Amino acid sequence: MDMTSGRIAPVFVKFSLPLLLGNLFQFFYSTTDILIVGNYCDTPSLAAIGASANIIFTLTGFFNGLANGAGVLVAHLYGAKEGCKIRKTIHTILPFSLGLGIILSAAGFFIAPLMLKMISVPQDVFPKADAYLRIFFAGLTFIFFYGICTGILRSLGDSKRPLYILSISVVLNIILDFIFILKFKAGLEGAAWATIISELIAAIFAFIILVKRIKNEAIFSAISNQIYSVGFVVRSVLKLGLPSAISNSILNFSNTFMQRYINVFGSDCMAGWAVYTRFDQLTILPMVSICMAATTFTAQNYGAGKIDRVKKGIKISLLLGLFVIFLISLLLIIFAQPLISLFNSTPGVVGYGSLFMRCSASFYVFCFCAMLFGQISQGLGYTVLPTSFTFLGFVALRQTYLFVITHITSSALLVALAYPFSWPFTMALQILYLRKKMSFLKMLLPGGLHFFFVFVI
């Protein structure tokens, strides 16, 4: 999809809807393991998934940051109709990402036990978490390569085929989960193998579709005499993606220490946290979908020099996101207990999980705005300061809060508040920066929203 022409609202919705559906599939994909494990395995197995989650997100967050940088570069070139440069960029990015994935996968496999010890995983959970984490790291290369391929497809305006690939992967993961856990009695390790196998197949499909896209579309057959070296491509991707990659990794690494504070309250609290984080992802993923659409839209139109469309795209993405987040947050607050009990009916697990869910759901609007304005800045090519703001809010402020609050009280609720506590601060910094770079931001906001943002900052 070329997002530099046509009516903005239909183009934006048409592109973002498959992303939204795809991320909902991604939610079911990541939730299948915990749903089946929570109902057919013991509580330590469920707690092991929660203990491993942020360690996994530390590396996948780094990969996603680099993929985002690659996507912005490709989207800029696509908006400028530089087909030859896009082809050269993709031919450089794919082998580079594959090699990096292999290196980090091997490193993660060997240091998994050390990571678990760093966050004080209890002894009854440690062996299961170690086995789950090692299997996951063994297949991390497939996950990264799949993310790079689908990220490039989305930057070229194709959000439908990544959805089809993800749908196949989700169905396959569910089938394999039941086979490994129920038929072969492989337990938590079976859930990990199901994820890795389905990701491998998804990566193969994504690569084949991307190759065919490059081969068949006319824009990529153009020949240019301009020098566009491998070194330039790598430097450009690192310039656009490395700040975000480092920020994502630090953020998720910081969250592993959040897990350490949760672990103090025992396996029921750990299991409740593990279930809550899946619903947290349910809310975050639509945010990510809208932010990804806004990033691609902004990058393509900025590359084409169409600043007026950038302005209108910001307004549409903001209004769409606020509507979605308000709706999801309301549902999570009202139905917190029955939703948690779907995964595990233990009273302690349900109590902790519903407490965490209601705590975060009340503040998700701030999280969305912080993400959206940061991603729009990155779509314009500004990466360092928006990434720094995310680090300040989501890492430095959060860890400072946790250090102080745990020396004052031993409340699980106050520990969980570390997540939403950092969102308004980060949102304010992102808005102030984007207002400075693009002075028209005030004009984009309807009266009520304008009052809201002025009040916050």
Side-chain angles (χ1 to χ4, degrees), residues 303-334:
K306 298 184 177 181
I307 304 301
D308 286 340
R309 287 180 65 84
V310 173
K311 298 177 183 180
K312 294 177 182 178
I314 294 174
K315 180 178 179 180
I316 292 171
S317 61
L318 176 63
L319 295 176
L320 176 62
L322 289 177
F323 172 76
V324 172
I325 299 311
F326 276 129
L327 179 61
I328 294 178
S329 297
L330 182 63
L331 293 173
L332 292 180
I333 291 172
I334 295 173

PDB file of all heavy atoms in Angstrom, residues 303-334:
ATOM      1  N   GLY A 303       9.005  11.001   3.707  1.00  0.00           N
ATOM      2  CA  GLY A 303       9.937  10.723   2.612  1.00  0.00           C
ATOM      3  C   GLY A 303       9.464  11.331   1.301  1.00  0.00           C
ATOM      4  O   GLY A 303      10.276  11.733   0.460  1.00  0.00           O
ATOM      5  N   ALA A 304       8.133  11.418   1.114  1.00  0.00           N
ATOM      6  CA  ALA A 304       7.573  12.010  -0.108  1.00  0.00           C
ATOM      7  C   ALA A 304       7.412  13.521   0.003  1.00  0.00           C
ATOM      8  O   ALA A 304       6.968  14.171  -0.949  1.00  0.00           O
ATOM      9  CB  ALA A 304       6.221  11.369  -0.406  1.00  0.00           C
ATOM     10  N   GLY A 305       7.755  14.089   1.167  1.00  0.00           N
ATOM     11  CA  GLY A 305       7.652  15.539   1.347  1.00  0.00           C
ATOM     12  C   GLY A 305       6.237  16.044   1.567  1.00  0.00           C
ATOM     13  O   GLY A 305       5.964  17.239   1.407  1.00  0.00           O
ATOM     14  N   LYS A 306       5.307  15.186   1.969  1.00  0.00           N
ATOM     15  CA  LYS A 306       3.901  15.573   2.145  1.00  0.00           C
ATOM     16  C   LYS A 306       3.613  15.790   3.636  1.00  0.00           C
ATOM     17  O   LYS A 306       3.019  14.952   4.315  1.00  0.00           O
ATOM     18  CB  LYS A 306       2.994  14.507   1.551  1.00  0.00           C
ATOM     19  CG  LYS A 306       3.197  14.334   0.042  1.00  0.00           C
ATOM     20  CD  LYS A 306       2.216  13.341  -0.557  1.00  0.00           C
ATOM     21  CE  LYS A 306       2.397  13.238  -2.071  1.00  0.00           C
ATOM     22  NZ  LYS A 306       1.436  12.308  -2.695  1.00  0.00           N
ATOM     23  N   ILE A 307       3.998  16.953   4.119  1.00  0.00           N
ATOM     24  CA  ILE A 307       3.900  17.250   5.542  1.00  0.00           C
ATOM     25  C   ILE A 307       2.453  17.397   5.994  1.00  0.00           C
ATOM     26  O   ILE A 307       2.097  17.033   7.120  1.00  0.00           O
ATOM     27  CB  ILE A 307       4.696  18.536   5.873  1.00  0.00           C
ATOM     28  CG1 ILE A 307       6.155  18.377   5.410  1.00  0.00           C
ATOM     29  CG2 ILE A 307       4.643  18.826   7.366  1.00  0.00           C
ATOM     30  CD1 ILE A 307       6.876  17.213   6.040  1.00  0.00           C
ATOM     31  N   ASP A 308       1.571  17.936   5.122  1.00  0.00           N
ATOM     32  CA  ASP A 308       0.166  18.083   5.502  1.00  0.00           C
ATOM     33  C   ASP A 308      -0.469  16.736   5.821  1.00  0.00           C
ATOM     34  O   ASP A 308      -1.276  16.622   6.751  1.00  0.00           O
ATOM     35  CB  ASP A 308      -0.621  18.770   4.381  1.00  0.00           C
ATOM     36  CG  ASP A 308      -0.314  20.258   4.299  1.00  0.00           C
ATOM     37  OD1 ASP A 308       0.177  20.805   5.312  1.00  0.00           O
ATOM     38  OD2 ASP A 308      -0.545  20.857   3.240  1.00  0.00           O
ATOM     39  N   ARG A 309      -0.108  15.712   5.059  1.00  0.00           N
ATOM     40  CA  ARG A 309      -0.651  14.378   5.331  1.00  0.00           C
ATOM     41  C   ARG A 309      -0.098  13.827   6.644  1.00  0.00           C
ATOM     42  O   ARG A 309      -0.791  13.097   7.359  1.00  0.00           O
ATOM     43  CB  ARG A 309      -0.317  13.426   4.179  1.00  0.00           C
ATOM     44  CG  ARG A 309      -1.125  13.696   2.926  1.00  0.00           C
ATOM     45  CD  ARG A 309      -0.744  12.725   1.805  1.00  0.00           C
ATOM     46  NE  ARG A 309      -1.076  11.346   2.118  1.00  0.00           N
ATOM     47  CZ  ARG A 309      -2.278  10.802   1.930  1.00  0.00           C
ATOM     48  NH1 ARG A 309      -3.280  11.532   1.456  1.00  0.00           N
ATOM     49  NH2 ARG A 309      -2.496   9.535   2.219  1.00  0.00           N
ATOM     50  N   VAL A 310       1.144  14.176   6.967  1.00  0.00           N
ATOM     51  CA  VAL A 310       1.711  13.762   8.252  1.00  0.00           C
ATOM     52  C   VAL A 310       0.875  14.341   9.393  1.00  0.00           C
ATOM     53  O   VAL A 310       0.529  13.647  10.358  1.00  0.00           O
ATOM     54  CB  VAL A 310       3.180  14.222   8.366  1.00  0.00           C
ATOM     55  CG1 VAL A 310       3.715  13.933   9.776  1.00  0.00           C
ATOM     56  CG2 VAL A 310       4.052  13.512   7.332  1.00  0.00           C
ATOM     57  N   LYS A 311       0.526  15.607   9.282  1.00  0.00           N
ATOM     58  CA  LYS A 311      -0.259  16.268  10.327  1.00  0.00           C
ATOM     59  C   LYS A 311      -1.608  15.569  10.526  1.00  0.00           C
ATOM     60  O   LYS A 311      -2.020  15.270  11.653  1.00  0.00           O
ATOM     61  CB  LYS A 311      -0.496  17.729   9.958  1.00  0.00           C
ATOM     62  CG  LYS A 311       0.765  18.572   9.825  1.00  0.00           C
ATOM     63  CD  LYS A 311       0.393  19.987   9.395  1.00  0.00           C
ATOM     64  CE  LYS A 311       1.614  20.851   9.184  1.00  0.00           C
ATOM     65  NZ  LYS A 311       1.261  22.221   8.776  1.00  0.00           N
ATOM     66  N   LYS A 312      -2.292  15.321   9.429  1.00  0.00           N
ATOM     67  CA  LYS A 312      -3.612  14.694   9.524  1.00  0.00           C
ATOM     68  C   LYS A 312      -3.512  13.252  10.034  1.00  0.00           C
ATOM     69  O   LYS A 312      -4.380  12.776  10.766  1.00  0.00           O
ATOM     70  CB  LYS A 312      -4.299  14.736   8.168  1.00  0.00           C
ATOM     71  CG  LYS A 312      -4.624  16.151   7.707  1.00  0.00           C
ATOM     72  CD  LYS A 312      -5.239  16.167   6.303  1.00  0.00           C
ATOM     73  CE  LYS A 312      -5.518  17.597   5.849  1.00  0.00           C
ATOM     74  NZ  LYS A 312      -6.074  17.641   4.474  1.00  0.00           N
ATOM     75  N   GLY A 313      -2.456  12.577   9.643  1.00  0.00           N
ATOM     76  CA  GLY A 313      -2.257  11.208  10.111  1.00  0.00           C
ATOM     77  C   GLY A 313      -2.072  11.130  11.618  1.00  0.00           C
ATOM     78  O   GLY A 313      -2.541  10.190  12.274  1.00  0.00           O
ATOM     79  N   ILE A 314      -1.389  12.119  12.197  1.00  0.00           N
ATOM     80  CA  ILE A 314      -1.200  12.152  13.646  1.00  0.00           C
ATOM     81  C   ILE A 314      -2.550  12.269  14.345  1.00  0.00           C
ATOM     82  O   ILE A 314      -2.834  11.564  15.326  1.00  0.00           O
ATOM     83  CB  ILE A 314      -0.281  13.326  14.041  1.00  0.00           C
ATOM     84  CG1 ILE A 314       1.138  13.089  13.496  1.00  0.00           C
ATOM     85  CG2 ILE A 314      -0.236  13.484  15.557  1.00  0.00           C
ATOM     86  CD1 ILE A 314       2.067  14.265  13.711  1.00  0.00           C
ATOM     87  N   LYS A 315      -3.395  13.147  13.835  1.00  0.00           N
ATOM     88  CA  LYS A 315      -4.702  13.357  14.456  1.00  0.00           C
ATOM     89  C   LYS A 315      -5.554  12.090  14.401  1.00  0.00           C
ATOM     90  O   LYS A 315      -6.166  11.687  15.398  1.00  0.00           O
ATOM     91  CB  LYS A 315      -5.426  14.497  13.740  1.00  0.00           C
ATOM     92  CG  LYS A 315      -6.805  14.801  14.303  1.00  0.00           C
ATOM     93  CD  LYS A 315      -7.429  15.979  13.582  1.00  0.00           C
ATOM     94  CE  LYS A 315      -8.817  16.281  14.123  1.00  0.00           C
ATOM     95  NZ  LYS A 315      -9.450  17.433  13.441  1.00  0.00           N
ATOM     96  N   ILE A 316      -5.568  11.434  13.241  1.00  0.00           N
ATOM     97  CA  ILE A 316      -6.382  10.226  13.080  1.00  0.00           C
ATOM     98  C   ILE A 316      -5.881   9.106  13.987  1.00  0.00           C
ATOM     99  O   ILE A 316      -6.660   8.413  14.644  1.00  0.00           O
ATOM    100  CB  ILE A 316      -6.394   9.784  11.607  1.00  0.00           C
ATOM    101  CG1 ILE A 316      -7.168  10.808  10.767  1.00  0.00           C
ATOM    102  CG2 ILE A 316      -6.994   8.393  11.449  1.00  0.00           C
ATOM    103  CD1 ILE A 316      -7.065  10.577   9.275  1.00  0.00           C
ATOM    104  N   SER A 317      -4.579   8.919  14.041  1.00  0.00           N
ATOM    105  CA  SER A 317      -4.021   7.853  14.880  1.00  0.00           C
ATOM    106  C   SER A 317      -4.299   8.109  16.353  1.00  0.00           C
ATOM    107  O   SER A 317      -4.577   7.169  17.117  1.00  0.00           O
ATOM    108  CB  SER A 317      -2.519   7.716  14.640  1.00  0.00           C
ATOM    109  OG  SER A 317      -1.838   8.916  14.967  1.00  0.00           O
ATOM    110  N   LEU A 318      -4.249   9.369  16.772  1.00  0.00           N
ATOM    111  CA  LEU A 318      -4.519   9.705  18.172  1.00  0.00           C
ATOM    112  C   LEU A 318      -5.964   9.385  18.545  1.00  0.00           C
ATOM    113  O   LEU A 318      -6.240   8.728  19.555  1.00  0.00           O
ATOM    114  CB  LEU A 318      -4.225  11.184  18.407  1.00  0.00           C
ATOM    115  CG  LEU A 318      -4.545  11.728  19.808  1.00  0.00           C
ATOM    116  CD1 LEU A 318      -3.691  11.038  20.864  1.00  0.00           C
ATOM    117  CD2 LEU A 318      -4.337  13.236  19.860  1.00  0.00           C
ATOM    118  N   LEU A 319      -6.904   9.839  17.724  1.00  0.00           N
ATOM    119  CA  LEU A 319      -8.323   9.622  18.030  1.00  0.00           C
ATOM    120  C   LEU A 319      -8.680   8.136  17.984  1.00  0.00           C
ATOM    121  O   LEU A 319      -9.421   7.639  18.841  1.00  0.00           O
ATOM    122  CB  LEU A 319      -9.193  10.413  17.058  1.00  0.00           C
ATOM    123  CG  LEU A 319      -9.076  11.943  17.162  1.00  0.00           C
ATOM    124  CD1 LEU A 319      -9.912  12.615  16.081  1.00  0.00           C
ATOM    125  CD2 LEU A 319      -9.506  12.420  18.536  1.00  0.00           C
ATOM    126  N   LEU A 320      -8.164   7.423  16.988  1.00  0.00           N
ATOM    127  CA  LEU A 320      -8.435   5.993  16.882  1.00  0.00           C
ATOM    128  C   LEU A 320      -7.895   5.250  18.098  1.00  0.00           C
ATOM    129  O   LEU A 320      -8.569   4.396  18.688  1.00  0.00           O
ATOM    130  CB  LEU A 320      -7.809   5.437  15.599  1.00  0.00           C
ATOM    131  CG  LEU A 320      -7.923   3.926  15.381  1.00  0.00           C
ATOM    132  CD1 LEU A 320      -9.375   3.510  15.267  1.00  0.00           C
ATOM    133  CD2 LEU A 320      -7.147   3.509  14.131  1.00  0.00           C
ATOM    134  N   GLY A 321      -6.680   5.578  18.494  1.00  0.00           N
ATOM    135  CA  GLY A 321      -6.062   4.911  19.624  1.00  0.00           C
ATOM    136  C   GLY A 321      -6.776   5.164  20.934  1.00  0.00           C
ATOM    137  O   GLY A 321      -6.979   4.248  21.735  1.00  0.00           O
ATOM    138  N   LEU A 322      -7.183   6.405  21.165  1.00  0.00           N
ATOM    139  CA  LEU A 322      -7.883   6.725  22.404  1.00  0.00           C
ATOM    140  C   LEU A 322      -9.194   5.957  22.512  1.00  0.00           C
ATOM    141  O   LEU A 322      -9.559   5.462  23.584  1.00  0.00           O
ATOM    142  CB  LEU A 322      -8.145   8.228  22.481  1.00  0.00           C
ATOM    143  CG  LEU A 322      -6.910   9.112  22.712  1.00  0.00           C
ATOM    144  CD1 LEU A 322      -7.299  10.581  22.688  1.00  0.00           C
ATOM    145  CD2 LEU A 322      -6.210   8.766  24.015  1.00  0.00           C
ATOM    146  N   PHE A 323      -9.903   5.839  21.401  1.00  0.00           N
ATOM    147  CA  PHE A 323     -11.161   5.095  21.404  1.00  0.00           C
ATOM    148  C   PHE A 323     -10.922   3.628  21.775  1.00  0.00           C
ATOM    149  O   PHE A 323     -11.618   3.062  22.633  1.00  0.00           O
ATOM    150  CB  PHE A 323     -11.832   5.192  20.035  1.00  0.00           C
ATOM    151  CG  PHE A 323     -13.033   4.298  19.881  1.00  0.00           C
ATOM    152  CD1 PHE A 323     -14.236   4.634  20.482  1.00  0.00           C
ATOM    153  CD2 PHE A 323     -12.941   3.110  19.156  1.00  0.00           C
ATOM    154  CE1 PHE A 323     -15.349   3.796  20.354  1.00  0.00           C
ATOM    155  CE2 PHE A 323     -14.040   2.278  19.027  1.00  0.00           C
ATOM    156  CZ  PHE A 323     -15.251   2.625  19.627  1.00  0.00           C
ATOM    157  N   VAL A 324      -9.938   3.007  21.132  1.00  0.00           N
ATOM    158  CA  VAL A 324      -9.652   1.589  21.375  1.00  0.00           C
ATOM    159  C   VAL A 324      -9.200   1.350  22.813  1.00  0.00           C
ATOM    160  O   VAL A 324      -9.652   0.413  23.489  1.00  0.00           O
ATOM    161  CB  VAL A 324      -8.593   1.080  20.372  1.00  0.00           C
ATOM    162  CG1 VAL A 324      -8.140  -0.335  20.737  1.00  0.00           C
ATOM    163  CG2 VAL A 324      -9.133   1.114  18.950  1.00  0.00           C
ATOM    164  N   ILE A 325      -8.313   2.211  23.312  1.00  0.00           N
ATOM    165  CA  ILE A 325      -7.751   2.018  24.649  1.00  0.00           C
ATOM    166  C   ILE A 325      -8.803   2.220  25.733  1.00  0.00           C
ATOM    167  O   ILE A 325      -8.866   1.467  26.717  1.00  0.00           O
ATOM    168  CB  ILE A 325      -6.555   2.957  24.875  1.00  0.00           C
ATOM    169  CG1 ILE A 325      -5.458   2.654  23.853  1.00  0.00           C
ATOM    170  CG2 ILE A 325      -6.014   2.801  26.291  1.00  0.00           C
ATOM    171  CD1 ILE A 325      -5.094   1.199  23.723  1.00  0.00           C
ATOM    172  N   PHE A 326      -9.656   3.231  25.575  1.00  0.00           N
ATOM    173  CA  PHE A 326     -10.727   3.440  26.553  1.00  0.00           C
ATOM    174  C   PHE A 326     -11.639   2.212  26.618  1.00  0.00           C
ATOM    175  O   PHE A 326     -12.040   1.773  27.703  1.00  0.00           O
ATOM    176  CB  PHE A 326     -11.549   4.674  26.191  1.00  0.00           C
ATOM    177  CG  PHE A 326     -10.969   5.965  26.687  1.00  0.00           C
ATOM    178  CD1 PHE A 326     -10.787   7.029  25.819  1.00  0.00           C
ATOM    179  CD2 PHE A 326     -10.607   6.119  28.014  1.00  0.00           C
ATOM    180  CE1 PHE A 326     -10.239   8.222  26.273  1.00  0.00           C
ATOM    181  CE2 PHE A 326     -10.055   7.316  28.476  1.00  0.00           C
ATOM    182  CZ  PHE A 326      -9.877   8.371  27.605  1.00  0.00           C
ATOM    183  N   LEU A 327     -11.971   1.647  25.465  1.00  0.00           N
ATOM    184  CA  LEU A 327     -12.865   0.500  25.417  1.00  0.00           C
ATOM    185  C   LEU A 327     -12.242  -0.722  26.098  1.00  0.00           C
ATOM    186  O   LEU A 327     -12.867  -1.380  26.947  1.00  0.00           O
ATOM    187  CB  LEU A 327     -13.217   0.178  23.964  1.00  0.00           C
ATOM    188  CG  LEU A 327     -14.143  -1.023  23.732  1.00  0.00           C
ATOM    189  CD1 LEU A 327     -15.485  -0.803  24.417  1.00  0.00           C
ATOM    190  CD2 LEU A 327     -14.336  -1.276  22.244  1.00  0.00           C
ATOM    191  N   ILE A 328     -11.001  -1.042  25.740  1.00  0.00           N
ATOM    192  CA  ILE A 328     -10.335  -2.211  26.309  1.00  0.00           C
ATOM    193  C   ILE A 328     -10.125  -2.039  27.808  1.00  0.00           C
ATOM    194  O   ILE A 328     -10.343  -2.964  28.599  1.00  0.00           O
ATOM    195  CB  ILE A 328      -8.995  -2.472  25.601  1.00  0.00           C
ATOM    196  CG1 ILE A 328      -9.238  -2.877  24.142  1.00  0.00           C
ATOM    197  CG2 ILE A 328      -8.207  -3.571  26.316  1.00  0.00           C
ATOM    198  CD1 ILE A 328      -7.975  -3.108  23.349  1.00  0.00           C
ATOM    199  N   SER A 329      -9.709  -0.848  28.227  1.00  0.00           N
ATOM    200  CA  SER A 329      -9.461  -0.605  29.653  1.00  0.00           C
ATOM    201  C   SER A 329     -10.726  -0.803  30.473  1.00  0.00           C
ATOM    202  O   SER A 329     -10.690  -1.400  31.558  1.00  0.00           O
ATOM    203  CB  SER A 329      -8.928   0.821  29.848  1.00  0.00           C
ATOM    204  OG  SER A 329      -7.688   1.000  29.213  1.00  0.00           O
ATOM    205  N   LEU A 330     -11.841  -0.320  29.958  1.00  0.00           N
ATOM    206  CA  LEU A 330     -13.110  -0.466  30.666  1.00  0.00           C
ATOM    207  C   LEU A 330     -13.477  -1.939  30.844  1.00  0.00           C
ATOM    208  O   LEU A 330     -13.889  -2.376  31.927  1.00  0.00           O
ATOM    209  CB  LEU A 330     -14.211   0.271  29.907  1.00  0.00           C
ATOM    210  CG  LEU A 330     -15.617   0.268  30.541  1.00  0.00           C
ATOM    211  CD1 LEU A 330     -15.578   0.980  31.886  1.00  0.00           C
ATOM    212  CD2 LEU A 330     -16.624   0.920  29.606  1.00  0.00           C
ATOM    213  N   LEU A 331     -13.296  -2.725  29.787  1.00  0.00           N
ATOM    214  CA  LEU A 331     -13.612  -4.154  29.857  1.00  0.00           C
ATOM    215  C   LEU A 331     -12.708  -4.876  30.856  1.00  0.00           C
ATOM    216  O   LEU A 331     -13.168  -5.751  31.607  1.00  0.00           O
ATOM    217  CB  LEU A 331     -13.487  -4.785  28.474  1.00  0.00           C
ATOM    218  CG  LEU A 331     -14.515  -4.333  27.430  1.00  0.00           C
ATOM    219  CD1 LEU A 331     -14.179  -4.911  26.062  1.00  0.00           C
ATOM    220  CD2 LEU A 331     -15.924  -4.735  27.852  1.00  0.00           C
ATOM    221  N   LEU A 332     -11.435  -4.536  30.880  1.00  0.00           N
ATOM    222  CA  LEU A 332     -10.506  -5.188  31.805  1.00  0.00           C
ATOM    223  C   LEU A 332     -10.832  -4.859  33.249  1.00  0.00           C
ATOM    224  O   LEU A 332     -10.716  -5.722  34.138  1.00  0.00           O
ATOM    225  CB  LEU A 332      -9.065  -4.763  31.479  1.00  0.00           C
ATOM    226  CG  LEU A 332      -8.487  -5.259  30.159  1.00  0.00           C
ATOM    227  CD1 LEU A 332      -7.064  -4.749  29.982  1.00  0.00           C
ATOM    228  CD2 LEU A 332      -8.510  -6.772  30.079  1.00  0.00           C
ATOM    229  N   ILE A 333     -11.225  -3.629  33.513  1.00  0.00           N
ATOM    230  CA  ILE A 333     -11.564  -3.241  34.886  1.00  0.00           C
ATOM    231  C   ILE A 333     -12.817  -3.973  35.361  1.00  0.00           C
ATOM    232  O   ILE A 333     -12.871  -4.481  36.486  1.00  0.00           O
ATOM    233  CB  ILE A 333     -11.763  -1.716  34.967  1.00  0.00           C
ATOM    234  CG1 ILE A 333     -10.419  -0.997  34.770  1.00  0.00           C
ATOM    235  CG2 ILE A 333     -12.370  -1.320  36.311  1.00  0.00           C
ATOM    236  CD1 ILE A 333     -10.540   0.513  34.639  1.00  0.00           C
ATOM    237  N   ILE A 334     -13.827  -4.069  34.508  1.00  0.00           N
ATOM    238  CA  ILE A 334     -15.102  -4.675  34.899  1.00  0.00           C
ATOM    239  C   ILE A 334     -14.984  -6.192  35.059  1.00  0.00           C
ATOM    240  O   ILE A 334     -15.492  -6.775  36.016  1.00  0.00           O
ATOM    241  CB  ILE A 334     -16.199  -4.331  33.871  1.00  0.00           C
ATOM    242  CG1 ILE A 334     -16.476  -2.824  33.880  1.00  0.00           C
ATOM    243  CG2 ILE A 334     -17.482  -5.115  34.164  1.00  0.00           C
ATOM    244  CD1 ILE A 334     -17.427  -2.370  32.795  1.00  0.00           C
TER     245      ILE A 334
END
